[in-house]
Amino acid sequence: MMEIKENILLSLFTSIKIGGKARYFCEPGNIDELREALAFARTKKLPIFILGGGTNIIIKDSGFAGLVIKLSGSFRNIERKENMLSAGGGALLSGLINTSISFGLSGLTNLSGIPGTVGGAIVGNAGAFSSQISDCLIVVNAITKDGEEQVIKEPKFLYRDSNLRDKIILCGDFSLKPEAIWRMEEQRKQVLEKRSATQPVGKKTAGCIFKNPVGVSAGELIEKAGLAGFRVGEAIVSEKHKNFIENMGNARGVDVFSLIKIIKEKVHTLYNINLSEEVIIV
Ligand SMILES: Cc1cc2nc3c(=O)[nH]c(=O)nc-3n(C[C@H](O)[C@H](O)[C@H](O)COP(=O)(O)OP(=O)(O)OC[C@H]3O[C@@H](n4cnc5c(N)ncnc54)[C@H](O)[C@@H]3O)c2cc1C
């Protein structure tokens, strides 16, 4: 029997270090344990939240009054099948990229430095430097919250979104192209250097807060609105990347939500543009 824990503090599982407790929390290591977790939630009529690396979410201070599921064990496996890599939904994206480089299989290197899991990257179509994870993703194995397993051959992807949000990603197959390992290592180095020059790497953040509106960068709008360094409690608009909010120490969810509201109102008043959140509010 898999252990289902109670009252687990979620701030520990997020990169911005914010969030109250989960009523229930479990880490299924295989499909049978995941089915057990889904049945538990069904019996108790609990809402479910799938937690990846917690790098693109802000959890409310009141926590989550349901079951949080974090895929572990065999859901973290990465396997090679010729020029294809198959990665579990709970595997780290960085692990997938490192594996692809060690095999000289190219297609994912531009995503180097994006934290979080393969499952989180797939549902949110994570991307950087004109590449996104959907570019080389060919098949997704998923399960619905009702327990129906699905093989999705043509998932639909949008900018930082997909039609997979209501499913649990078990595994993704990536079709990659042979490339010289040294060239990929060089590419990864350049990507990581660009990132640390432009993003508050190493700080407590949740990645980009807003999606870029068509044709304009959300960060630029926030900067032009004079909000760089603007602060509510211990939540502050990053000076390095204006579309990031940093937790300076003990920020609460309410501080971040107030800051988000202020930014949206000011940008709307000045530019008549409605910013919409990229970050998921739980
Ligand atoms: C410093 C920093 C830099 C970042 N840079 C980038 C960037 O360049 N580009 C970019 O796109 N993003 C970036 N992000 C945001 C974030 O890393 C990505 O969105 C990442 O893909 C989220 O994955 P995660 O596993 O952490 O998901 P989480 O934050 O845990 O969850 C995000 C959403 O995915 C869902 N989810 C997670 N796993 C699964 C699963 N197995 N099945 C179904 N749903 C699931 C969750 O329920 C939630 O709705 C950055 C974040 C940080 C902190």
Side-chain angles (χ1 to χ4, degrees), residues 85-217:
L85 287 180
S86 189
L92 288 179
L93 179 62
S94 58
L96 171 62
I97 297 168
N98 291 342
T99 307
S100 74
I101 294 176
S102 67
F103 286 132
L105 292 173
S106 137
L108 294 161
T109 322
N110 272 351
L111 311 187
S112 300
I114 301 182
T117 62
V118 169
I122 292 176
V123 289
N125 194 15
F129 305 111
S130 306
S131 300
Q132 39 256 312
I133 195 150
S134 54
D135 296 346
C136 49
L137 179 66
I138 47 170
V139 180
V140 170
N141 287 276
I143 187 167
T144 65
K145 289 176 182 168
D146 297 324
E148 186 202 335
E149 277 187 66
Q150 299 179 341
V151 178
I152 304 157
K153 296 225 167 90
E154 284 180 5
K156 302 275 177 294
F157 289 102
L158 304 165
Y159 164 58
R160 300 294 173 267
D161 211 353
S162 70
N163 64 345
L164 302 166
R165 291 236 179 236
D166 58 339
K167 305 183 198 305
I168 303 168
I169 309 300
L170 303 175
C171 166
D173 291 345
F174 299 88
S175 171
L176 305 167
K177 293 203 172 69
E179 171 67 278
I181 294 178
W182 68 266
R183 226 179 256 138
M184 294 173 70
E185 283 173 340
E186 185 55 32
Q187 190 187 351
R188 173 173 56 190
K189 188 165 157 264
Q190 284 174 10
V191 164
L192 293 177
E193 278 169 7
K194 274 191 213 156
R195 273 185 176 277
S196 53
T198 55
Q199 289 187 357
V201 175
K203 302 272 184 186
K204 298 176 192 170
T205 72
C208 284
I209 298 292
F210 301 105
K211 293 183 182 176
N212 289 323
V214 179
V216 35
S217 130

Side-chain angles (χ1 to χ4, degrees), residues 9-282:
L9 193 60
L10 293 172
S11 57
L12 302 172
F13 294 91
T14 68
S15 52
I16 196 167
K17 302 294 171 217
I18 284 175
K21 289 179 178 174
R23 179 69 188 88
Y24 297 100
F25 181 96
C26 66
E27 296 184 84
N30 56 50
I31 190 73
D32 292 336
E33 290 186 351
L34 177 57
R35 285 189 175 284
E36 221 180 280
L38 296 175
F40 176 85
R42 250 194 320 277
T43 311
K44 288 197 172 289
K45 297 196 170 47
L46 296 169
I48 289 171
F49 180 72
I50 309 299
L51 175 66
T55 65
N56 205 205
I57 55 175
I58 300 169
I59 300 172
K60 292 184 179 166
D61 302 314
S62 54
F64 184 69
L67 174 65
V68 171
I69 299 178
K70 184 163 174 60
L71 300 180
S72 71
S74 65
F75 293 118
R76 293 186 181 148
N77 291 349
I78 300 171
E79 282 164 31
R80 180 182 187 177
K81 302 171 194 162
E82 296 174 0
N83 287 346
M84 211 173 74
L85 287 180
S86 189
L92 288 179
L93 179 62
S94 58
L96 171 62
I97 297 168
N98 291 342
T99 307
S100 74
I101 294 176
S102 67
F103 286 132
L105 292 173
S106 137
L108 294 161
T109 322
N110 272 351
L111 311 187
S112 300
I114 301 182
T117 62
V118 169
I122 292 176
V123 289
N125 194 15
F129 305 111
S130 306
S131 300
Q132 39 256 312
I133 195 150
S134 54
D135 296 346
C136 49
L137 179 66
I138 47 170
V139 180
V140 170
N141 287 276
I143 187 167
T144 65
K145 289 176 182 168
D146 297 324
E148 186 202 335
E149 277 187 66
Q150 299 179 341
V151 178
I152 304 157
K153 296 225 167 90
E154 284 180 5
K156 302 275 177 294
F157 289 102
L158 304 165
Y159 164 58
R160 300 294 173 267
D161 211 353
S162 70
N163 64 345
L164 302 166
R165 291 236 179 236
D166 58 339
K167 305 183 198 305
I168 303 168
I169 309 300
L170 303 175
C171 166
D173 291 345
F174 299 88
S175 171
L176 305 167
K177 293 203 172 69
E179 171 67 278
I181 294 178
W182 68 266
R183 226 179 256 138
M184 294 173 70
E185 283 173 340
E186 185 55 32
Q187 190 187 351
R188 173 173 56 190
K189 188 165 157 264
Q190 284 174 10
V191 164
L192 293 177
E193 278 169 7
K194 274 191 213 156
R195 273 185 176 277
S196 53
T198 55
Q199 289 187 357
V201 175
K203 302 272 184 186
K204 298 176 192 170
T205 72
C208 284
I209 298 292
F210 301 105
K211 293 183 182 176
N212 289 323
V214 179
V216 35
S217 130
E220 263 170 44
L221 291 172
I222 296 167
E223 178 163 29
K224 281 203 292 179
L227 289 168
F230 190 83
R231 184 176 157 182
V232 175
E234 295 205 8
I236 184 167
V237 176
S238 169
E239 299 267 10
K240 196 159 187 188
H241 190 310
K242 283 73 187 177
N243 196 9
F244 277 57
I245 290 177
E246 292 174 26
N247 173 358
M248 298 167 72
N250 296 307
R252 296 163 308 155
V254 283
D255 301 332
V256 178
F257 300 133
S258 305
L259 203 43
I260 289 177
K261 188 159 174 270
I262 292 167
I263 295 169
K264 287 174 91 165
E265 282 171 1
K266 188 135 190 217
V267 166
H268 185 259
T269 308
L270 291 174
Y271 307 110
N272 201 24
I273 292 175
N274 289 316
L275 288 178
S276 68
E277 286 86 345
E278 175 176 324
V279 78
I280 305 289
I281 312 288
V282 184

